[in-house]
Amino acid sequence: MVNRKIDSQKLNRMNQLRKLSQQGGGQKKIDSQHKRGKLTAAERINLFLDENSFEELDPFVVQDIQNFEESGNQYLGDAVVTGYGRVNGQTVFIYAQDFTVAGGSLSEAVARKICKIMDLAIQNGSPIVGLIDSGGARIQEGVSSLAGYGDIFLRNTMASGVIPQISVILGPAAGGATYSPALTDFIFMVNGVGQMYITGPDVIKAVTGEEVTHEDLGGATSHSSISGVAHFNLNSEEECLEQVRNLLRFIPPNNMEESTITETYEIEDPDTELQNIVPEDPNQPYDVMDIIGRIIDQGDFMEIHHSWAKNIVVGFAKLAGQSVGIIAQQPKYLAGCLDINASVKAARFIRFCDSFNIPLVTLIDVPGFMPGTAQEHGGIIRHGAKLIYAYAEATVPKISVLLRKAYGGAYIVMSSKMLGGDINYAWPTGEIAVMGAEGAVNIIHAKEIKSSKNPDELKSQLINEYREKLMNPYVAASKGLIDDVINPADTRIKLISALKMLSNKRESLPIKKHGSIPL
Ligand code: HXC
């Protein structure tokens, strides 16, 4: 008779090896990780995924399975934990670098494990989340570890626009190790824990003499408010992982899925409070968040790049249950003008939304592009072009509301009819012109004003006439460039109607390998 019973010795060995794998670099290293105020890879994964949903893969990867226990420097599973699980019930692939093993450094085996997970994520159309805590390429492995990074970069690029890729920086990410996160869609960082830089403070001091701390150089605050490398900056690992889960509520698992209106939408009452937010004076600031909060479902907004390029607001929201990407000028900062960082921030966001079939809702109140040598020499022409390109190329539904002003080139840029805007609404306060009224009058009535006995009075009269006759939204509406002038109180209702109407929108671009966005 055949004995079908697995003998207990074999099960014991399996359990023993698994336990060894789960111990990573050992208890001392785990304690040291905790002392630094950091969680272990396993703790992070469990905190992030739905309860008991993690399925680990490759726990037994090691260089020499026969002799690893005696070697003293080989650890089962090496310096990364990989697998898949669920977030809000949806499959998500995950890898978490394990700092307790050789400082989370990337060996050939670690790279192979990460690549396997990335391939599975791409083939099966689910997001991938990387928890980064690594000293970079495993120095002892030389070219093999560098090649491992190369294999990951290739997959990051192939996955771009196919599945969402999210990086969470929960420790060091030095040198080339920064570039896998940089190729992903969203980077989260934890204050005082995550640090990203191409070269650390010691190298900087040796090469340039400049002295800087790790945190000032590459900490969460620097990257979320100065460089724009990080999209989110959180105060604890727990809060950070919760926000990654939150982000996944807004984005589909892959580029083949459509986000659709999921709630049965009942006609709501107009919101008359919306009539009281925007000042009539085109130069007076206000907080556009007060408008966003009133037009989306339950004020539920996930802002991206909150602390960088604050003159434009971008983020995800739901409208009647459907995910939308919101782009809005923020008159509270730099009068909501378009500058280099705002252009890059919005262009990147628009391209993400377009890749993943997320409709765009643009709220416009823009005085123009930011003037000055710093902007010109910094390449505002090149960077501003990115935003034009992104809007023009996007084939998802594009709905806009002109809240107050849209002057000059900035009018054309911001989801205009000419760039393929599907529905362009204006509030009665909307003004469109080549430039602001005063500048325009100064140029076209210069002679008249100069020869007038009372130039100030004439000028203010001409400004009023100009605003009333040429800048009002009906001029654009009369040419079909604005589809309708609406009562602000009806904005949410109109947006939801337009979104429903556009739900079957199909538009394709001319056949090409890919465009050449001005980078
Ligand atoms: C091998 C490494 C390692 C690495 C750290 N360790 N980085 N082992 N390769 N890259 C090991 C340490 O020897 C140590 O082992 C353990 O991990 C913990 O490291 P510590 O230095 O004790 O920790 P800490 O003081 O917190 O400093 C962490 C660190 C530092 C800032 C990451 O270790 C460091 O600067 N490492 C080197 C970073 C770096 O320059 N990497 C190469 C980047 S270039 P023991 O056994 O003592 O516990 C790169 C090229 C990629 O990555 C190119 C792709 C294109």
Side-chain angles (χ1 to χ4, degrees), residues 105-106 135-143 145:
S105 57
L106 190 111
R138 175 92 40 98
I139 295 164
Q140 297 88 329
E141 292 199 16
V143 67
S145 59

Side-chain angles (χ1 to χ4, degrees), residues 16-35:
Q16 184 199 16
L17 287 176
R18 189 177 306 283
K19 204 165 167 206
L20 269 179
S21 174
Q22 285 167 347
Q23 281 170 348
Q27 196 55 45
K28 257 170 101 178
K29 295 276 182 193
I30 294 174
D31 293 344
S32 142
Q33 177 84 342
H34 285 154
K35 265 196 216 124

Side-chain angles (χ1 to χ4, degrees), residues 72-353:
N73 63 357
Q74 286 190 49
Y75 300 89
L76 273 188
D78 209 324
V80 70
V81 181
T82 59
Y84 64 94
R86 288 187 301 278
V87 169
N88 309 318
Q90 294 246 27
T91 298
V92 171
F93 289 85
I94 187 163
Y95 70 89
Q97 290 174 324
D98 181 356
F99 194 82
T100 69
V101 176
S105 57
L106 190 111
S107 64
E108 189 183 354
V110 167
R112 232 183 304 119
K113 281 181 73 171
I114 294 175
C115 287
K116 184 192 273 187
I117 286 296
M118 295 179 83
D119 289 339
L120 279 169
I122 297 168
Q123 283 158 11
N124 295 288
S126 291
I128 181 151
V129 175
L131 309 184
I132 313 293
D133 189 358
S134 168
R138 175 92 40 98
I139 295 164
Q140 297 88 329
E141 292 199 16
V143 67
S144 301
S145 59
L146 295 180
Y149 270 120
D151 290 336
I152 294 171
F153 297 167
L154 179 76
R155 282 163 179 78
N156 283 135
T157 309
M158 294 307 135
S160 179
V162 179
I163 51 167
Q165 302 181 81
I166 299 172
S167 304
V168 191
I169 314 296
L170 300 172
T178 57
Y179 279 118
S180 173
L183 288 164
T184 64
D185 299 304
F186 298 103
I187 297 182
F188 288 73
M189 291 187 79
V190 174
N191 241 325
V193 173
Q195 287 158 358
M196 298 177 83
Y197 36 71
I198 296 292
T199 53
D202 295 344
V203 176
I204 293 179
K205 189 164 180 218
V207 175
T208 69
E210 185 189 358
E211 288 190 34
V212 63
T213 64
H214 288 267
E215 197 59 27
D216 282 351
L217 179 65
T221 305
S222 302
H223 281 312
S224 62
S225 63
I226 304 171
S227 71
V229 165
H231 301 79
F232 300 92
N233 168 9
L234 284 310
N235 282 325
S236 69
E237 294 197 27
E238 288 80 0
E239 207 187 317
C240 179
L241 294 172
E242 190 53 44
Q243 284 309 310
V244 181
R245 288 175 60 92
N246 192 33
L247 176 64
L248 288 168
R249 281 195 305 123
F250 291 98
I251 55 185
N254 62 63
N255 64 335
M256 304 301 279
E257 303 246 342
E258 305 273 332
S259 78
T260 46
I261 292 186
T262 49
E263 286 170 12
T264 9
Y265 174 69
E266 285 171 24
I267 298 292
E268 297 167 13
D269 291 333
D271 179 0
T272 50
E273 191 49 44
L274 281 166
Q275 295 162 342
N276 306 324
I277 298 172
V278 177
E280 209 190 320
D281 176 349
N283 301 319
Q284 219 174 305
Y286 62 94
D287 189 350
V288 77
M289 293 302 291
D290 293 341
I291 296 174
I292 294 173
R294 301 193 81 90
I295 61 175
I296 61 177
D297 295 356
Q298 290 92 39
D300 181 13
F301 186 55
M302 177 122 198
E303 188 178 356
I304 294 157
H305 271 143
H306 167 75
S307 309
W308 184 62
K310 289 177 165 194
N311 36 328
I312 202 155
V313 173
V314 304
F316 296 110
K318 301 259 181 184
L319 265 183
Q322 175 169 12
S323 285
V324 293
I326 300 214
I327 303 106
Q329 262 83 37
Q330 176 54 287
K332 227 168 69 158
Y333 293 97
L334 300 174
C337 73
L338 282 177
D339 61 2
I340 292 171
N341 289 349
S343 302
V344 171
K345 170 173 162 176
R348 174 129 190 234
F349 178 68
I350 290 165
R351 297 191 99 218
F352 177 85
C353 290

